[in-house]
Amino acid sequence: KPPPTASPPSPATVKSTPTIKPRPTTTTVADRNEPIKGIKKAMVKTMTQANTVPHFTYCDEYDMSQLVKLRKQLKKQNKDIKISYLPFIIKACSQALLNHPILNAHVDSKCENITYKGSHNIGIAMDTKDGLLVPNIKNVQQLSITQIANELNRLQQLGKAGKLSTDDLTGGTFSLSNIGAIGGTYAVPILLLPEVAICALGKIVRRIVPDEEDDESSSSSSSDDEYCSYSVRSMMSASWSADHRVIDGATMARFSNELKYLLENPLQLLINQ
Ligand code: CAO
């Protein structure tokens, strides 16, 4: 008799301490075959196609300390609010895209035309009970951070229930994959064609980071010939993949610098929204 199929844990329940299964009592367990169908089959097709496009990956780290503080304050003042980091990141991406419309574009299958998309329909990779799905939040450029949070919660609930609609799953123009919600520092994401850019966000981790300028409030250590001041910061990696046929590294770097500025100065993000 084949062993029961384990359904993947829902992302919100995945904690850093995994549940380790006890050692099996039987000496051998039979192999099990499973046909690849449904969403998994769709993933075979989309990923294989995407892998024919020359990608490059660009990585940076963003200091999320101020945003972590801001979200903590918000949650303290509004006990019922469900807001993760993603709504801020999604809004910041949209604000940065306004200056870099080439990253919110589609390329046709023969790579003969670029369509600069008018709406920022930002796709969010979701680890749903059916597997990897990427629903998108429509017209992010017009939404407030709270509206984005509500929409994200709606999509997450539908994903959990296996009820995402075709409308939710189509029309994306740019994508984010928050693998850090589960764990991990870096991931090389694969494009979701015909989009031209996608980012994998790592887990926000507290790290000792040297200060750029001397800051009397921070801790310090000294060695024989070197003085260094440092702080404990909440750092997040961002790994971008882009379609290298139409996007160059400099464009990606400029966009990422702008996003970094907005996330590291969240008041700027709030003023602009
Ligand atoms: N670093 C640290 N903490 C994070 C985090 C990160 N990068 N991302 C989320 N968290 C925190 C949230 O703030 C939340 O904490 P609180 O309970 O204190 O509010 C908790 O982790 C759970 O977050 P969440 O998963 O409910 O919410 P989210 O909006 O950040 O992400 C979703 C939603 C659907 C994108 C996510 O659950 C998910 O499925 N991620 C996996 C994506 C994936 O599989 N990518 C790979 C694609 S390629 O195979």
Side-chain angles (χ1 to χ4, degrees):
K1 186 178 155 196
T5 320
S7 57
S10 82
T13 61
V14 178
K15 297 290 174 210
S16 47
T17 315
T19 315
I20 310 291
K21 279 195 176 170
R23 184 166 56 88
T25 48
T26 49
T27 47
T28 54
V29 177
D31 295 347
R32 184 169 64 89
N33 283 324
E34 187 181 272
I36 299 173
K37 54 186 185 185
I39 285 170
K40 284 187 185 150
K41 188 147 189 172
M43 189 158 90
V44 171
K45 195 173 160 204
T46 53
M47 293 300 158
T48 308
Q49 269 174 359
N51 222 19
T52 63
V53 168
H55 288 51
F56 73 93
T57 296
Y58 169 92
C59 302
D60 200 358
E61 282 188 320
Y62 306 152
D63 182 343
M64 304 290 278
S65 308
Q66 290 199 44
L67 193 51
V68 168
K69 226 184 259 177
L70 184 79
R71 190 183 83 110
K72 215 180 254 175
Q73 270 174 4
L74 263 175
K75 283 177 71 103
K76 210 170 167 184
Q77 286 161 7
N78 309 277
K79 294 262 185 278
D80 298 333
I81 198 168
K82 181 175 176 333
I83 190 162
S84 62
Y85 300 104
L86 264 184
F88 299 94
I89 298 171
I90 292 167
K91 188 68 203 177
C93 283
S94 174
Q95 283 188 9
L97 283 173
L98 291 172
N99 283 334
H100 302 272
I102 181 69
L103 292 170
N104 190 60
H106 281 182
V107 170
D108 66 355
S109 58
K110 291 186 179 163
C111 201
E112 289 171 342
N113 283 293
I114 298 175
T115 307
Y116 294 81
K117 303 298 282 182
S119 303
H120 297 170
N121 297 346
I122 300 193
I124 307 297
M126 283 190 183
D127 175 37
T128 73
K129 83 179 191 26
D130 296 321
L132 172 66
L133 287 173
V134 192
N136 61 82
I137 302 181
K138 306 265 189 299
N139 292 307
V140 170
Q141 76 283 2
Q142 289 171 357
L143 302 181
S144 68
I145 291 170
T146 317
Q147 287 171 320
I148 295 169
N150 291 341
E151 186 60 1
L152 182 62
N153 291 337
R154 181 185 75 82
L155 294 173
Q156 207 173 353
Q157 291 312 315
L158 289 175
K160 268 188 198 158
K163 288 189 176 159
L164 284 162
S165 69
T166 307
D167 184 54
D168 289 328
L169 290 165
T170 51
T173 59
F174 177 93
S175 292
L176 294 174
S177 172
N178 184 17
I179 192 70
I182 301 175
T185 312
Y186 299 99
V188 178
I190 294 182
L191 284 173
L192 197 62
L193 299 181
E195 296 171 24
V196 298
I198 181 169
C199 182
L201 305 165
K203 187 180 166 87
I204 300 171
V205 284
R206 279 165 62 75
R207 276 223 329 261
I208 295 174
V209 178
D211 294 328
E212 289 200 0
E213 289 166 18
D214 278 353
D215 173 356
E216 285 177 11
S217 64
S218 54
S219 316
S220 64
S221 70
S222 58
S223 62
D224 288 349
D225 53 1
E226 191 176 303
Y227 170 82
C228 174
S229 67
Y230 54 82
S231 328
V232 176
R233 316 294 299 174
S234 296
M235 305 300 293
M236 181 186 76
S237 77
S239 309
W240 295 93
S241 286
D243 182 339
H244 213 343
R245 298 171 305 174
V246 293
I247 308 292
D248 55 38
T251 303
M252 199 70 252
R254 287 191 193 101
F255 172 83
S256 173
N257 288 346
E258 208 165 310
L259 180 66
K260 179 180 167 81
Y261 174 78
L262 289 168
L263 294 175
E264 294 186 352
N265 300 278
L267 285 182
Q268 200 65 46
L269 183 62
L270 297 182
I271 287 169
N272 291 349
Q273 80 157 326

